[in-house]
Amino acid sequence: MSSGEDDLIARYFKPLAVAPGALGLSDDAAILPGHGDDMVVTVDAVVEGVHFLSDDPPDTVARKALRVNLSDLAAKGAEPAGFVLTLALRAPDVAWLTPFAAALGEDARLFNCPLLGGDTVSTPGPVMISITAFGRVPPGKMVRRDGARPGDLLIVSGTVGDATLGLALLQGADSPGLAAAARATLVERYRVPQPRLALARAVRVHASAAMDVSDGLMGDLAKLCRASGVSAVVEAAAVPLSAPARAWLSRDAALIGRLVSGGDDYEILCAMPEDRLAAFQVAAREAGAPVSVIGRVIAGQGAVELRDASGREIRLERRSYSHF
Amino acid sequence: MSSGEDDLIARYFKPLAVAPGALGLSDDAAILPGHGDDMVVTVDAVVEGVHFLSDDPPDTVARKALRVNLSDLAAKGAEPAGFVLTLALRAPDVAWLTPFAAALGEDARLFNCPLLGGDTVSTPGPVMISITAFGRVPPGKMVRRDGARPGDLLIVSGTVGDATLGLALLQGADSPGLAAAARATLVERYRVPQPRLALARAVRVHASAAMDVSDGLMGDLAKLCRASGVSAVVEAAAVPLSAPARAWLSRDAALIGRLVSGGDDYEILCAMPEDRLAAFQVAAREAGAPVSVIGRVIAGQGAVELRDASGREIRLERRSYSHF
């Protein structure tokens, strides 16, 4: 006599549990062999109606739930070791679970981060997916937020602000003149983050501090600065933008504030001494990940400033996104 | 400019983050030093209205959320190393969060299992707490479900069935003749499990297979037997019962089926060769944890049988509890 939960796990998630330590999801716990590394542990949850939309395709929900955690591992300089999953569902729904589990399995393989275990629970409320992900670093080598020093360069991967525009589109925002393909690109950036695991090693080797940008570039930079006991200046013109974001910005100059404070970028923000830049750029190029110098760390107490081309501060209404 | 979530974490949970690897909850991830051990990972979530009741005191909700995971670690023979928390709330409520966080901190100290990190999310639905807990075992020494062999004795810690009676009382069940203190004991057993961490080492040293009993003794035993490729016989008279459960059973003999199939016991079920029993009993006594031999593993394919004093099978309507 097998319970509904066991059936659900066997059907949808057992095929994903390919790591030996997962024990086929048939035990109470998983084994994560130590191998002498430090384990980096991160946990992020996504809630229907808050972090993803009810009508987002289930495969994108799965990818986002895992990738927001992989993004944290990448920013900490860690190689993925596996993850566990808590899935809260109103009822087991084949049409939703099948693509959800398939995409989760594809991403687990793609990023070499196997499912180790999980819990499925019934809830009358919205779907919620909480993932705890594990990564390995050599002992003492996790890249923290608190190591930035005055004089360090500030670097961000990829492009900033696309996801917040994608969400705006999904919520019905008007985007005069934006082609369908450009709109689709922005929506995809909201729904399916690209964790920068290819940069993990280079960040570990070169960065003095790093974090992933998930709640808005300027707000997250302020957190990094507070943790490090420094301040920072960002050049607006140096913030990397995608072609669709650039096109949108060209019609609405005030949009820059939103681009640097909107959530869901899942890019890496890091600081490093200037003499590390060339080697980091080479490593990033080899990893196929674009990186941009956006500003500089200065002495201070956690103040962050966005400057225009003439050196004047661009005032922001808010610097980050909060769900509460 | 700090977000509401950051304030909530700083106020309620930072005081709990006493482990160096938690980095004061001010980073994206925590560090769990390897020290060469295997890491045992377990995840269990509790949902308001499903695993706990809306009017359960928040301190008991916190303790239950952590302890159901500690119970898994104990059954796997692991020493606690820390945990991460996902907390889904409708809104930050001081009157609920203050006792919740205080009790979580007390239990973390009591069981030497520090908070390492977490995520708080807003939900319009029921409160949900998902905890991923980590334990250490020497390499290769996690006690699995699949090692039981024919001839092994079956042993369970503590008493069985109290929690299911406690839940019945909370749901308005009548218990003729049960004194107020006895009723309170049963309710407490439902609300605040006692993880058997004191037995972890003895289980690791002596047991051939183990799991925690969370969904009903007979159903969980069936899982252990299926994993091990064996069957089992349990003597009803040998199943350890508390005084209140015994009193209730004396007025309703059919209750035995419910006691051995109800959820939330959080006791350890293990199998071991007969020649290990004496040493295990000594270790259990030293640990202050009662243990009882309840039956025996036999050759078979996952069948489990409850027998009365005359050796006749007691048929059960169901063997375990399922939320789906």
Side-chain angles (χ1 to χ4, degrees):
Chain A
M1 185 169 53
S2 181
S3 76
E5 184 188 344
D6 291 338
D7 289 344
L8 191 158
I9 290 169
R11 179 164 176 184
Y12 295 103
F13 296 109
K14 207 163 177 160
L16 278 59
V18 293
L23 304 174
L25 303 187
S26 62
D27 212 297
D28 307 87
I31 305 163
L32 207 51
H35 302 321
D37 295 322
D38 277 358
M39 211 57 81
V40 174
V41 182
T42 181
V43 54
D44 261 312
V46 295
V47 179
E48 177 186 8
V50 182
H51 304 85
F52 64 93
L53 305 175
S54 294
D55 57 356
D56 278 342
D59 62 311
T60 69
V61 174
R63 291 186 202 280
K64 185 162 192 172
L66 180 57
R67 290 174 180 214
V68 299
N69 284 284
L70 296 176
S71 177
D72 279 319
L73 293 183
K76 302 289 100 183
E79 317 287 336
F83 72 102
V84 297
L85 167 78
T86 298
L87 183 57
L89 296 173
R90 281 179 294 274
D93 170 358
V94 174
W96 194 90
L97 273 166
T98 303
F100 177 89
L104 196 64
E106 280 175 22
D107 265 12
R109 280 189 297 278
L110 180 62
F111 297 109
N112 202 19
C113 191
L115 178 68
L116 293 174
D119 192 18
T120 56
V121 293
S122 155
T123 172
V127 171
M128 172 170 156
I129 304 127
S130 174
I131 285 181
T132 303
F134 312 102
R136 294 177 189 283
V137 290
K141 294 297 185 191
M142 189 184 94
V143 185
R144 297 164 54 157
R145 284 187 188 174
D146 61 3
R149 294 292 167 258
D152 282 357
L153 296 175
L154 287 171
I155 293 165
V156 71
S157 64
T159 57
V160 167
D162 299 322
T164 199
L165 298 179
L167 175 58
L169 291 173
L170 287 171
Q171 291 173 332
D174 194 29
S175 62
L178 221 55
R183 295 169 58 96
T185 297
L186 296 175
V187 167
E188 180 74 4
R189 287 277 286 159
Y190 168 71
R191 284 183 171 154
V192 185
Q194 299 298 323
R196 298 293 184 181
L197 285 166
L199 284 176
R201 192 175 175 283
V203 168
R204 192 170 71 229
V205 171
H206 298 293
S208 53
M211 66 185 296
D212 82 326
V213 181
S214 56
D215 295 332
L217 174 64
M218 294 302 285
D220 284 342
L221 174 59
K223 289 178 193 173
L224 185 145
C225 286
R226 279 197 299 271
S228 297
V230 297
S231 289
V233 174
V234 171
E235 308 295 336
V239 173
L241 302 178
S242 68
R246 219 171 266 285
W248 198 331
L249 182 65
S250 71
R251 290 165 177 266
D252 177 6
L255 197 69
I256 186 68
R258 190 151 162 197
L259 297 176
V260 298
S261 66
D264 290 298
D265 288 317
Y266 299 104
E267 297 290 353
I268 294 179
L269 170 68
C270 64
M272 69 184 60
E274 197 157 358
D275 63 9
R276 293 290 194 151
L277 179 64
F280 180 74
Q281 285 173 324
V282 168
R285 202 153 41 234
E286 284 169 0
V291 295
S292 306
V293 177
I294 59 168
R296 196 175 281 274
V297 177
I298 58 175
Q301 296 298 325
V304 297
E305 192 179 311
L306 184 69
R307 285 192 186 157
D308 69 15
S310 61
R312 272 190 297 264
E313 180 173 6
I314 302 173
R315 295 250 163 214
L316 300 174
E317 276 177 52
R318 58 174 203 178
R319 287 193 298 238
S320 65
Y321 182 77
S322 170
H323 293 297
F324 277 114
Chain B
M1 186 169 54
S2 180
S3 74
E5 184 188 345
D6 291 338
D7 288 342
L8 192 157
I9 290 168
R11 179 163 177 186
Y12 295 103
F13 297 109
K14 208 163 177 160
L16 278 59
V18 292
L23 303 174
L25 304 188
S26 62
D27 211 297
D28 305 88
I31 305 164
L32 207 49
H35 303 319
D37 296 321
D38 277 359
M39 210 58 80
V40 173
V41 182
T42 181
V43 53
D44 261 312
V46 295
V47 178
E48 177 187 6
V50 182
H51 304 85
F52 63 92
L53 306 176
S54 294
D55 57 357
D56 278 342
D59 63 309
T60 70
V61 174
R63 291 186 201 279
K64 186 163 191 173
L66 180 57
R67 291 175 180 213
V68 300
N69 285 284
L70 296 177
S71 177
D72 279 319
L73 294 183
K76 302 289 102 181
E79 317 287 336
F83 72 101
V84 296
L85 167 78
T86 298
L87 183 58
L89 296 173
R90 281 180 294 275
D93 171 358
V94 174
W96 194 90
L97 273 166
T98 302
F100 178 88
L104 196 64
E106 279 175 20
D107 265 11
R109 280 189 298 278
L110 180 63
F111 297 110
N112 202 18
C113 190
L115 178 68
L116 293 174
D119 192 17
T120 55
V121 294
S122 153
T123 172
V127 171
M128 172 171 153
I129 303 127
S130 174
I131 283 181
T132 304
F134 312 102
R136 297 176 186 283
V137 289
K141 294 297 184 190
M142 191 185 92
V143 184
R144 297 164 54 156
R145 284 187 188 175
D146 61 3
R149 295 294 167 257
D152 281 357
L153 296 175
L154 287 171
I155 293 164
V156 72
S157 64
T159 57
V160 166
D162 299 321
T164 199
L165 297 180
L167 175 59
L169 290 174
L170 287 171
Q171 291 173 332
D174 195 29
S175 62
L178 222 54
R183 296 168 59 98
T185 297
L186 296 175
V187 166
E188 181 74 4
R189 287 277 286 159
Y190 168 72
R191 285 183 171 155
V192 185
Q194 300 297 323
R196 298 294 184 179
L197 285 165
L199 284 176
R201 190 173 178 282
V203 168
R204 189 169 75 231
V205 171
H206 298 293
S208 53
M211 67 185 295
D212 82 324
V213 181
S214 56
D215 295 331
L217 174 66
M218 293 303 285
D220 285 342
L221 174 60
K223 291 178 192 171
L224 186 146
C225 284
R226 281 198 298 272
S228 297
V230 297
S231 289
V233 174
V234 171
E235 308 296 336
V239 173
L241 301 179
S242 68
R246 219 170 266 284
W248 197 331
L249 182 66
S250 71
R251 290 163 176 269
D252 176 8
L255 196 70
I256 186 69
R258 190 152 163 198
L259 297 176
V260 299
S261 67
D264 291 298
D265 288 317
Y266 299 105
E267 296 291 350
I268 295 180
L269 170 67
C270 65
M272 70 184 59
E274 198 158 355
D275 62 9
R276 293 289 195 153
L277 179 64
F280 179 75
Q281 285 172 324
V282 168
R285 201 154 40 232
E286 283 169 0
V291 295
S292 306
V293 177
I294 58 167
R296 196 176 280 274
V297 177
I298 59 175
Q301 297 296 324
V304 296
E305 194 180 309
L306 184 68
R307 286 192 187 156
D308 68 15
S310 61
R312 272 188 300 262
E313 180 174 6
I314 301 173
R315 296 248 164 217
L316 300 174
E317 277 178 50
R318 58 174 203 178
R319 285 193 297 239
S320 65
Y321 183 77
S322 170
H323 294 297
F324 277 113

